[in-house]
Amino acid sequence: MSSFWRYRIRFSKRGTVRFISHRDLMGVFARAFRRAGLPVRMSQGFNPRPRFSLPAPLAVGIEGLDEVLELDLAKSAPPQELVARLAKELPEGIELTGAEQLEPGVKARVESVRYRVHGELPLGAVERCAAREELRVSRRDGRKLDVRPYLQRVATCAGGCEFETRVTGQGTARPAEIVAALCDGDAELPRHLSLARTAVNLRGPQ
C-alpha cells in the first residue's frame, strides 16, 4: 500500500495575480502548504521541496478559471478539509473551487485547453480562422510550424470568441498564436483584448 495519498485540486487565478509567472505561482502554493501545516510529500536531497505539479502552465497575463494542481500528502485528509485549510493561506485572486482524492499513481494528462477572448475582433475573423488550412507561426527559437492541427474549435460567443486547442506529446498551439491569427497577424490589436483560460480538460483515466 502506498504511504502517500494523492489529491487533485481545481482553482481559479484572477485579477492582478494573473501577472505572476508559473514559477512564482509554484512558490505561492509551496508557502501556502507550509503555513497550512499540510504534510506534502517532499523531494530528496540537500534542499527538499514540496512535490506537487501544475500540469498545464498558464502564460503570464492570462486569467485561469479552471486550473489543475496535483499533490501527494503523507496523511489522508477529507478533500473538503484540505480545501478549507489551504484556502486560508492563499492570496487574493486565487480561489480553490474543488478537490478530490485520487487512486495512487494517477497523474493528470492534459487533453485540451479552452480559452475565451473578450473584446472586438476584426469583422469575420473567427470564420476566416476556422476556414484556414494552415496557421504558420515563427517561434523565438527560430522554428516555423503549422499550429492549425492543434486548433480543435473556434467560435463566436457573447463579447468575443472561444477556442479550444489540443495538447499532445508533440506540442500544442500557444494562445497568443491563435489570437494573432484571429487578428490577421496584427501585433497591436491583441493588446486591446483580454484572454482567459476557461477549462483544462484531462484525458482518462482521471
Side-chain angles (χ1 to χ4, degrees):
M1 182 177 177
S2 172
S3 58
F4 295 95
W5 286 260
R6 191 159 185 81
Y7 294 84
R8 179 177 296 150
I9 296 173
R10 292 276 183 169
F11 68 96
S12 62
K13 177 187 175 189
R14 301 170 182 258
T16 57
V17 76
R18 73 185 186 275
F19 293 111
I20 68 173
S21 69
H22 175 72
R23 182 176 180 178
D24 288 340
L25 182 61
M26 295 285 283
V28 166
F29 275 109
R31 290 189 294 273
F33 294 145
R34 185 173 62 251
R35 291 195 295 262
L38 295 172
V40 180
R41 185 179 185 181
M42 303 297 287
S43 64
Q44 303 298 313
F46 292 105
N47 187 24
R49 297 175 182 272
R51 295 182 59 175
F52 64 98
S53 65
L54 300 170
L58 188 60
V60 174
I62 300 177
E63 288 191 326
L65 309 186
D66 187 30
E67 299 299 293
V68 179
L69 180 150
E70 290 187 341
L71 75 159
D72 291 332
L73 295 182
K75 182 179 179 181
S76 179
Q80 61 270 27
E81 177 186 332
L82 173 61
V83 167
R85 291 173 62 180
L86 185 57
K88 295 178 182 178
E89 308 301 336
L90 290 169
E92 183 178 356
I94 297 179
E95 180 181 353
L96 305 184
T97 56
E100 60 180 317
Q101 189 168 351
L102 306 175
E103 293 296 323
V106 171
K107 292 185 178 181
R109 295 185 298 160
V110 181
E111 182 171 57
S112 67
V113 287
R114 189 164 64 244
Y115 293 87
R116 181 182 300 132
V117 182
H118 188 269
E120 187 174 353
L121 293 165
L123 186 64
V126 171
E127 293 76 12
R128 287 194 299 275
C129 186
R132 290 175 65 176
E133 295 184 357
E134 290 188 344
L135 290 175
R136 292 266 170 200
V137 301
S138 297
R139 293 195 166 163
R140 292 180 180 178
D141 59 6
R143 289 183 301 152
K144 296 182 182 295
L145 68 158
D146 176 19
V147 297
R148 182 62 181 85
Y150 300 118
L151 180 60
Q152 283 190 312
R153 184 181 68 90
V154 58
T156 57
C157 67
C161 78
E162 292 183 333
F163 63 86
E164 185 170 351
T165 56
R166 295 170 57 236
V167 178
T168 73
Q170 290 70 48
T172 188
R174 297 171 182 170
E177 294 166 345
I178 303 301
V179 172
L182 286 165
C183 296
D184 300 323
D186 188 337
E188 295 298 323
L189 191 54
R191 298 177 184 178
H192 303 287
L193 304 174
S194 63
L195 187 61
R197 186 159 72 185
T198 59
V200 175
N201 301 313
L202 307 178
R203 58 171 60 95
Q206 301 295 306

